[in-house]
Amino acid sequence: MGAAEMLSGRYIALARSHTDRVDSLSTGQDPDGASHGGSDTSGLDTALLDQMPEAVVVCSLDAVCVHVNPSLERHLGRPRQELLGRRLWELHPEWTERSFQERFRQVVRTGESAEFERHAEPQDRWFVKRLFRVHERVVLFSRDISAEKKQEATLRALYDEMRRAQRHAAFLAQASEVLASSLEHDLILQRMAHLAVPILGDACSVDLPMPDGQVRRAAAAFSRQEMVAPAQDFQTRYPIRLEDAAGIGKVLRTGVTEFTPDFPAMLAAAQGGSSAYRRDVEALGISAYIIVPLISRGRVLGALTLLNSESRRRYTEADVRLAEDLARRAATSLDNGRLYTEAQEAVRARDSFLSVASHELNTPLTSLMLNIQALRRDMEPRASNGPASPEALSTKVVAVQRQVSRLSSLVRELLDVSRITAGRLRLEREDLDLAALTREVVPRFTEDLARAGCALHLEAGGAATGHWDRLRLEQVLQNLLSNAIKYGRGRPIEVRVGADASRACLSVKDQGVGIPPEGRARLFQRFERLASERHYGGLGLGLWIVKQIVDAMEGRILVESVPGQGSTFIVELPRHPA
Ligand code: ADP
């Protein structure tokens, strides 16, 4: 027996087992006397239809129901007695729709079957419907395909997710290339912003926190030229501040991503802010944004902002992850750039230091040689005008002494640098009085002060005792005093010592050349000299050494200065080590 016969055999058996029921139900119900003995007058096997899991209605060509199966009864929640003999349109709200009725009529007219899907909103279920014409009957099959639909949706979501992951991976690969293409800070950021638009948003910007507390926009890119001017205007009118309660300032301050998928809704719900500000924000037409921090080695180096404006695209968590990934790479790249610049800077400083150091050492050495030669000549008996007077000899010896002491202090500074750099700055702490120490050191500068024409006012009355390293404190005093004399333009110098219960304080104030604000960060760095070499000698090491000593004693050094009016260096030391 072939498969077809087997099937039809089964159908016949099924049809027989239902014959009685179908007969009883259809008798008197069918206006055309349609179903009899398990088959419709048109030859349809109604008993077979009754077995089907799909809901089935058999109608006459003018849409009068002649047979319904139990599945349809269940689906409509009504017994077949109530359904048979009525027009199809009266049975279900969906079938009252014109589009459905037109489809029905078309099937009647053309004899071609129709298949379509329907979504039942209230129950959120999907059905596939089929209309067939068989001779003088139209059969409607309705099958619940919600499970398949759900599966399909899951598969589609998986596929979309995979495609997005692929796109993101490709984007990040491209971004990595761009980020590695240069070590120059702003160039890297500019390229990154251009890469992000329009793939990740309609606009992208990168903002950096500056040492002075301001925020600098290092890069910006827009998908449409007409967005540029309003964005710039807005930024000028409302500059970003690190203390802002939300937005870029907050991300820079906290290092935490900010993600707003529906900006207009957020704005509507937000309290506060002037109406002008709200109007200006709305005018930007932002629909959603993501702000991610650029963090490297625990430091927030900047913030990357992605904006969607009118574009239909919606941001999701996946976009946030991508933006964070991009920001991580950008931060590493920035850090590499910074390290490279620092390394270059260090090499430059070392090279310039070598030339400064040789010049500084050579100057006293040349004068020393000249003075020694002159002394030798003076002491030769064959000197044309006789041996030099003891006074003349003594002047030259004093000069020799000064040059030797200058040389030895330069060499000491150099030795200190190598010692401190190698981590060998050891403190020999003892109980001492900073006021007494200052009173002791100041007189050693009497000659230098006189040569520079500077008066010195010392205020160190009360004791300022503590547990410090005497020689290292002397060095701090000497360096600050000699700088005040060197850069003090012959004006009065004030030295003050004071103390409270926990700290002692030393300040050295001059009225000299002062220090420009942009030079202050470099002041305490090794080999840094702000003043011109031609006017002032020095290795650029003194303040670096002072800071290392003060740091080792757990204190701090501050500087206040007005260029052209003078500088005050303030050293604060805890009186007892922690
Ligand atoms: P230097 O040996 O060059 O004086 P320092 O480390 O002592 O080295 O000082 C570093 C730089 O700081 C100097 O080159 C100078 O430009 C500036 N500086 C230091 N002290 C003063 C001061 N009292 N007034 C103005 N500038 C100063």
Side-chain angles (χ1 to χ4, degrees):
M1 197 193 284
E5 288 93 316
M6 269 178 70
L7 277 174
S8 63
R10 212 173 111 228
Y11 288 167
I12 291 160
L14 285 170
R16 280 210 192 98
S17 70
H18 285 81
T19 306
D20 297 346
R21 198 155 59 92
V22 170
D23 275 352
S24 69
L25 284 170
S26 46
T27 307
Q29 299 284 340
D30 180 358
D32 298 341
S35 293
H36 294 290
S39 70
D40 181 81
T41 51
S42 60
L44 275 168
D45 187 339
T46 48
L48 172 65
L49 298 180
D50 285 353
Q51 291 301 308
M52 294 184 77
E54 300 185 64
V56 183
V57 193
V58 181
C59 300
S60 61
L61 295 185
D62 52 357
V64 176
C65 289
V66 296
H67 184 77
V68 296
N69 75 348
S71 174
L72 187 96
E73 287 177 289
R74 271 195 305 280
H75 179 60
L76 296 184
R78 291 160 77 182
R80 73 172 66 179
Q81 291 90 326
E82 283 184 24
L83 306 173
L84 294 176
R86 301 178 70 170
R87 305 283 306 272
L88 192 53
W89 334 137
E90 297 162 21
L91 303 189
H92 192 280
E94 179 200 320
W95 300 337
T96 59
E97 286 171 17
R98 266 179 74 138
S99 58
F100 177 79
Q101 296 183 20
E102 265 158 27
R103 270 201 180 104
F104 185 95
R105 288 195 189 102
Q106 198 177 359
V107 170
V108 170
R109 215 170 37 249
T110 62
E112 276 173 32
S113 49
E115 180 174 316
F116 50 97
E117 285 181 5
R118 292 281 313 189
H119 182 230
E121 295 273 358
Q123 311 93 331
D124 188 23
R125 301 200 72 80
W126 280 90
F127 294 92
V128 62
K129 313 257 164 172
R130 278 188 220 101
L131 282 166
F132 294 98
R133 177 168 175 182
V134 184
H135 305 301
E136 296 307 297
R137 295 281 181 261
V138 176
V139 189
L140 167 67
F141 289 90
S142 173
R143 189 158 65 86
D144 188 336
I145 52 162
S146 307
E148 281 111 304
K149 278 280 174 190
K150 214 170 271 168
Q151 235 169 22
E152 198 180 294
T154 315
L155 273 175
R156 194 174 316 116
L158 275 173
Y159 179 73
D160 287 351
E161 181 63 30
M162 196 185 76
R163 287 294 307 262
R164 188 167 46 220
Q166 268 175 347
R167 266 201 318 272
H168 285 186
F171 173 75
L172 284 175
Q174 213 181 345
S176 301
E177 235 169 74
V178 164
L179 291 171
S181 65
S182 164
L183 283 167
E184 214 219 295
H185 207 265
D186 284 17
L187 194 63
I188 298 176
L189 298 176
Q190 200 55 51
R191 285 184 186 162
M192 186 181 75
H194 279 288
L195 192 70
V197 171
I199 302 175
L200 296 183
D202 297 318
C204 172
S205 66
V206 183
D207 297 278
L208 309 177
M210 294 288 104
D212 61 0
Q214 309 268 35
V215 176
R216 180 172 75 86
R217 176 142 296 176
F222 299 90
S223 60
R224 279 168 285 122
Q225 188 56 31
E226 62 270 23
M227 294 168 79
V228 179
Q232 277 169 355
D233 274 2
F234 185 84
Q235 222 214 329
T236 316
R237 223 166 318 145
Y238 307 102
I240 302 159
R241 287 181 229 280
L242 288 178
E243 60 273 16
D244 286 346
I248 296 169
K250 185 179 174 205
V251 173
L252 288 173
R253 190 176 70 243
T254 60
V256 177
T257 296
E258 202 171 289
F259 169 38
T260 302
D262 188 348
F263 184 63
M266 193 208 82
L267 204 61
Q271 306 282 319
S274 71
S275 55
Y277 174 75
R278 276 170 172 269
R279 222 180 19 253
D280 290 345
V281 171
E282 273 163 13
L284 291 176
I286 299 165
S287 55
Y289 70 75
I290 300 173
I291 310 170
V292 289
L294 270 59
I295 301 179
S296 180
R297 291 185 288 160
R299 259 180 3 114
V300 182
L301 307 178
L304 169 79
T305 306
L306 296 171
L307 290 184
N308 268 341
S309 59
E310 290 120 45
S311 91
R312 293 268 184 83
R313 178 181 36 212
R314 301 199 136 262
Y315 281 138
T316 62
E317 289 292 339
D319 294 306
V320 175
R321 285 198 300 278
L322 176 64
E324 283 176 342
D325 219 337
L326 178 64
R328 236 186 327 272
R329 284 159 206 245
T332 310
S333 194
L334 281 188
D335 220 18
N336 288 345
R338 193 175 54 80
L339 290 174
Y340 177 72
T341 315
E342 274 174 17
Q344 265 188 330
E345 191 54 32
V347 169
R348 181 205 61 77
R350 190 203 56 197
D351 290 349
S352 97
F353 169 73
L354 286 177
S355 86
V356 169
S358 25
H359 174 78
E360 284 297 307
L361 289 168
N362 205 34
T363 311
L365 209 54
T366 311
S367 333
L368 186 66
M369 291 286 283
L370 290 173
N371 275 318
I372 289 176
Q373 275 167 11
L375 271 173
R376 234 181 106 180
R377 263 200 315 276
D378 285 351
M379 289 194 298
E380 271 174 13
R382 282 170 286 114
S384 55
N385 38 0
S389 69
E391 292 77 31
L393 283 176
S394 152
T395 316
K396 287 194 179 114
V397 169
V398 169
V400 164
Q401 250 180 344
R402 205 171 45 242
Q403 281 131 15
V404 169
S405 111
R406 173 79 190 129
L407 272 173
S408 93
S409 87
L410 286 174
V411 170
R412 211 175 32 245
E413 273 192 6
L414 287 173
L415 275 175
D416 260 348
V417 174
S418 60
R419 224 176 274 147
I420 295 173
T421 313
R424 280 186 278 128
L425 176 67
R426 268 199 203 94
L427 299 178
E428 308 270 332
R429 288 187 188 261
E430 61 183 289
D431 286 330
L432 58 96
D433 177 1
L434 181 60
L437 185 74
T438 311
R439 285 196 298 272
E440 198 184 306
V441 170
V442 165
R444 295 185 206 157
F445 284 83
T446 311
E447 222 177 284
D448 291 347
L449 285 162
R451 221 185 355 262
C454 284
L456 188 140
H457 174 71
L458 173 63
E459 214 178 288
T465 53
H467 200 64
W468 302 300
D469 181 318
R470 173 182 293 273
L471 289 179
R472 289 300 183 182
L473 267 193
E474 273 185 20
Q475 210 176 347
V476 168
L477 268 163
Q478 278 163 0
N479 280 338
L480 294 182
L481 275 172
S482 50
N483 276 349
I485 296 169
K486 188 152 78 173
Y487 303 107
R489 293 191 302 183
R491 307 254 169 82
I493 295 170
E494 284 171 45
V495 179
R496 280 203 180 87
V497 182
D500 62 20
S502 59
R503 317 201 119 225
C505 175
L506 159 78
S507 70
V508 179
K509 177 176 181 187
D510 65 58
Q511 298 172 30
V513 293
I515 297 155
E518 64 277 10
R520 273 173 222 166
R522 284 166 36 214
L523 209 56
F524 298 102
Q525 287 173 16
R526 222 166 16 154
F527 315 138
E528 283 298 346
R529 303 165 79 216
L530 308 177
S532 103
E533 304 166 20
R534 268 189 301 125
H535 290 95
Y536 305 96
L539 295 174
L541 292 174
L543 285 181
W544 180 78
I545 293 172
V546 166
K547 176 144 170 49
Q548 303 307 307
I549 296 172
V550 171
D551 284 351
M553 293 197 213
E554 293 148 39
R556 59 179 191 153
I557 178 158
L558 313 168
V559 60
E560 291 164 2
S561 179
V562 180
Q565 292 184 29
S567 320
T568 307
F569 284 84
I570 303 156
V571 174
E572 286 177 9
L573 295 172
R575 296 179 57 190
H576 303 283

